[in-house]
Amino acid sequence: MSTRLSAICALIPQCGLLLDVGCDHGKLAEYAASSGLCGRVIASDVSPGSLQKAEKRLARYANAETRLGWGLRVLRPEEDPDVIVIAGMGGCLIIDILRGYTGGAKLILGAQKDAYRLRTFLSETGYRIGEDFTVEDRGKFYDVIGAERGRCRPDEMQKKFGVFYKRPNPALLARCRFDLARLAGTPNDVKDIEEVIKWQLR
């Protein structure tokens, strides 16, 4: 399992029902079904090809099923997951999937880009961000965010670099150094990145 998926799986709590949106080949859903953490697992994807691979992987687990469809539309009216995982896509697409959702599920999100917009959306729609860190996987950087219903008012630095950017995070430090080396932005961008590096080196 990749570093990115391992980091997301580590956030999965004991729960009755987990929905994995955009399950791809079903590796995360397999972990959720086999770990004993989740009573039921629904793995969904919009791609018939990906879902077919997930079906094959999950066939031996009686507590797992697959559904073809977009986002949260795969849920039946009576279903309210305890945990929703949405990973492997950009923050704006994650926002589109969550827009209008009124349930109480814990969210585990893996954003490949646009994490600033995702954090802003979560804080404006009644979510408290309880986990927020950067993961490096095969030379690429990803933001992993855990959120649940509550209040959260991140400032601009927290929206840009993560709510807990002052905590030690080797992947965040590596990302900032990478961005600083290639940055062709404004002096404020440089200043903000240098501020995060300063915290990471404490």
Side-chain angles (χ1 to χ4, degrees), residues 17-186:
L17 174 60
L18 178 142
L19 171 64
D20 180 12
V21 177
C23 67
D24 197 25
H25 295 182
K27 291 181 180 179
L28 185 144
E30 181 181 31
Y31 169 81
S34 65
S35 64
L37 289 171
C38 307
R40 287 178 59 212
V41 176
I42 300 171
S44 71
D45 208 288
V46 293
S47 165
S50 292
L51 201 66
Q52 193 171 37
K53 293 173 183 176
E55 283 176 354
K56 187 175 181 180
R57 183 181 293 275
L58 297 172
R60 57 184 169 146
Y61 300 103
N63 61 335
E65 64 177 289
T66 59
R67 294 182 190 175
L68 181 66
W70 193 86
L72 306 184
R73 295 175 189 170
V74 300
L75 290 171
R76 297 177 184 130
E78 70 277 9
E79 291 174 329
D80 186 14
D82 301 294
V83 178
I84 296 174
V85 179
I86 311 175
M89 58 192 80
C92 289
L93 181 52
I94 295 173
I95 290 170
D96 286 343
I97 291 170
L98 289 173
R99 200 180 302 279
Y101 173 67
T102 58
K106 174 183 174 65
L107 306 179
I108 303 175
L109 312 172
Q112 295 178 326
K113 60 181 181 178
D114 297 319
Y116 176 94
R117 293 184 180 183
L118 180 56
R119 293 184 185 104
T120 301
F121 169 81
L122 291 171
S123 67
E124 291 177 349
T125 52
Y127 283 96
R128 181 183 65 84
I129 297 174
E131 297 283 352
D132 192 350
F133 54 90
T134 300
V135 173
E136 183 176 4
D137 192 340
R138 302 170 198 173
K140 295 183 178 180
F141 298 100
Y142 305 90
D143 292 281
V144 177
I145 298 171
E148 56 191 356
R149 291 295 182 185
R151 301 186 68 180
C152 177
R153 292 291 181 266
D155 60 29
E156 285 298 300
M157 287 290 287
Q158 290 175 315
K159 289 177 184 178
K160 287 172 71 174
F161 299 102
V163 170
F164 307 109
Y165 72 87
K166 294 181 181 179
R167 291 182 184 174
N169 181 340
L172 177 58
L173 177 59
R175 170 190 261 177
C176 286
R177 284 173 166 164
F178 176 80
D179 288 344
L180 199 60
R182 62 192 286 273
L183 189 66
T186 67

